Amino acid sequence: MPFVRNQWYVAAHSEEVGDELLARTICGEPIVFYRTSAGEPVALADRCVHRRYPLSASRREGDRIVCGYHGFTYDPDGTCVAVPGQKRIPRTARVPVYPVVEQDTLVWVWIGDADKADPTRIPRAPWLGSPDYVTVRGMEPLAARYELLVDNLLDLSHETYLHAGYIGTPEVAETPITTEVDEDAGIVYVSRRMKDAECPPFYAKSTGITGRIDRWQDIEYHPPCLYLLHSRIAPTGVEPGPDGDDPAACHAEIVYAITPETETTTHDFWMVSRDFALDDEEVSKFLAESNRTVILQDVAALNLLEEVIAGEPEGYQELSINIDTGGLAARRMLKKMLEASS
Amino acid sequence: MSRRLQVVWEPGSDLLIGVCHCGAESRAADPVEIWHWLLSHPDHPSPRTEHEH
Ligand SMILES: [Zn+2]
């Protein structure tokens, strides 16, 4: 399956893009990222026009990149401003520049026709940069196609089996879901609201709530890239106030960015933002380590699935049940976007 | 008004209830069937009289 083009994808956490040249392949396109002295992120095709040497393996001279092979020198807009040994610079000496936007502590890159790039279409995750939240984050490379990660995240009943002892409890798989698709906005919502449930260690140790809880998992998937999980943990029976005020509950905003690297590999960006224990470094450490452990469990499972898919004949017939209602909606939306973009 | 499609899992059963943005409603025993029904708007197949259990 090729990639959904004419879309914004998360290319990096803001903190990953700095003075160093960062090589990252997005949707099969090798790109070099860096930040100018004015603080602006730049994304250029990671191949010198001359003999395709990776610019990411080159060096910077101020805001320019000097190719590490023969010295072709590029401005941040991709224009070649110097070639070795001669004054005339060929008119075609220019590397493609990618539209790039930094928003909510993420660096987004546009994959597709540059003139169609509309930054207002980038979905928001405002808590990532909010002083009212503390965020831990990371990125795990996945040796599996991005569709498998979409399936994985749209059906959280797998938490009970794959992530027992961390975020999985029996109630996750047992509780019915409600699924909603907004056809115009292009969003899939999946909601699972558990009453009087066991508190998994991930939340018991971080929130300090150890008794029975009400646990809400409200998913908002903005295909193709951004996945938001609004997680609410409260002592059982405690409801939010009529104005949405909810001081007795703990809220964790779990964010994933699902960015295809190649057709069978994916950048699995993850973030956990919380509105509780804001000053507690230990909680940050615990949540970062636990979430990474959980993701590595998913990575191992999905890598295995990718091997299975690679080794099987075409046309394997899957079986879907109620828990797959959201995943099926996401697949259909991706298929529609793919058809529209190719 | 945005076009929203909803699938609710009927409490205490294994049935899914699909609600189209046009107000039409149907029940089905699996998600493939319920999406098929929802996405055939405005030509929703008429609801079946009997459900598989
Ligand atoms: Zn309808």
Side-chain angles (χ1 to χ4, degrees):
Chain A
M1 180 156 159
F3 308 109
V4 181
R5 292 174 56 80
N6 292 323
Q7 293 291 336
W8 292 99
Y9 288 94
V10 170
H13 297 289
S14 281
E15 63 196 24
E16 291 183 283
V17 178
D19 294 339
E20 302 292 313
L21 299 169
L22 170 72
R24 194 154 278 167
T25 296
I26 313 283
C27 296
E29 306 192 14
I31 304 177
V32 57
F33 295 88
Y34 66 102
R35 200 177 283 279
T36 65
S37 47
E40 294 299 321
V42 176
L44 298 176
D46 193 17
R47 296 289 182 265
C48 180
V49 291
H50 176 225
R51 290 293 181 265
R52 68 173 83 79
Y53 192 76
L55 296 179
S56 57
S58 305
R59 67 178 174 84
R60 282 183 62 170
E61 205 174 79
D63 285 346
R64 292 174 171 166
I65 299 182
V66 181
C67 178
Y69 195 5
H70 300 96
F72 276 59
T73 302
Y74 298 95
D75 264 345
D77 69 356
T79 313
C80 182
V81 293
V83 299
Q86 63 180 58
K87 294 218 166 47
R88 191 186 68 84
I89 299 167
R91 263 183 306 118
T92 54
R94 161 185 287 277
V95 292
V97 59
Y98 289 81
V100 60
V101 169
E102 190 166 27
Q103 181 170 283
D104 300 328
T105 74
L106 295 170
V107 174
W108 293 79
V109 68
W110 174 261
I111 300 296
D113 309 327
D115 56 338
K116 292 187 181 145
D118 174 5
T120 63
R121 280 183 49 205
I122 301 175
R124 302 299 305 253
W127 38 85
L128 293 176
S130 161
D132 301 329
Y133 289 78
V134 170
T135 301
V136 293
R137 59 177 77 218
M139 192 276 272
E140 311 307 326
L142 181 65
R145 61 197 67 194
Y146 75 94
E147 295 96 323
L148 292 178
L149 185 54
V150 174
D151 277 353
N152 172 275
L153 291 171
L154 267 290
D155 170 26
L156 296 181
S157 69
H158 80 271
E159 288 182 355
T160 304
Y161 302 94
L162 194 55
H163 309 306
Y166 291 90
I167 52 176
T169 67
E171 292 91 350
V172 182
E174 280 164 10
T175 307
I177 49 167
T178 298
T179 307
E180 216 167 296
V181 169
D182 188 324
E183 292 278 86
D184 300 314
I187 304 171
V188 179
Y189 300 90
V190 180
S191 173
R192 174 182 274 114
R193 299 205 166 177
M194 295 164 258
K195 286 293 255 179
D196 189 20
E198 183 186 326
C199 192
F202 185 84
Y203 287 120
K205 287 189 189 157
S206 58
T207 64
I209 302 174
T210 49
R212 304 286 290 177
I213 56 166
D214 290 350
R215 180 179 181 191
W216 295 1
Q217 293 177 323
D218 293 340
I219 296 169
E220 217 180 291
Y221 174 47
H222 299 250
C225 191
L226 194 71
Y227 170 97
L228 312 174
L229 168 60
H230 311 291
S231 175
R232 175 183 184 269
I233 307 292
T236 189
V238 174
E239 295 285 332
D243 49 359
D245 202 37
D246 198 16
C250 292
H251 303 89
E253 298 290 347
I254 320 281
V255 179
Y256 283 85
I258 305 162
T259 302
E261 180 187 39
T262 66
E263 286 193 19
T264 54
T265 61
T266 304
H267 304 293
D268 184 349
F269 294 95
W270 60 269
M271 291 133 269
V272 179
S273 299
R274 67 179 194 272
D275 71 350
F276 53 91
L278 293 182
D279 301 320
D280 197 329
E281 270 297 318
E282 287 302 309
V283 168
S284 292
K285 236 174 89 184
F286 170 76
L287 285 177
E289 273 170 21
S290 306
N291 205 61
R292 182 155 187 275
T293 304
V294 163
I295 286 167
L296 292 179
Q297 290 170 337
D298 283 325
V299 166
L302 300 184
N303 288 0
L304 182 60
L305 262 184
E306 180 61 46
E307 282 178 38
V308 167
I309 293 171
E312 81 190 1
E314 291 276 308
Y316 179 85
Q317 200 56 48
E318 286 180 317
L319 172 72
S320 293
I321 61 168
N322 288 5
I323 54 171
D324 302 308
T325 307
L328 291 177
R331 285 184 183 183
R332 180 201 138 242
M333 212 171 253
L334 285 169
K335 189 163 168 263
K336 220 171 69 176
M337 295 172 97
L338 192 64
E339 285 162 2
S341 84
S342 53
Chain B
M1 206 191 82
S2 75
R3 292 174 302 144
R4 280 184 176 239
L5 308 173
Q6 196 187 37
V7 181
V8 188
W9 191 327
E10 190 172 73
S13 89
D14 287 340
L15 283 178
L16 297 172
I17 308 168
V19 186
C20 183
H21 51 82
C22 69
E25 232 183 88
S26 182
R27 284 172 164 70
D30 83 81
V32 175
E33 193 182 328
I34 205 72
W35 282 124
H36 175 76
W37 181 88
L38 282 167
L39 296 171
S40 50
H41 172 90
D43 305 310
H44 299 293
S46 36
R48 293 184 305 165
T49 45
E50 255 181 273
H51 300 297
E52 300 165 39
H53 286 281

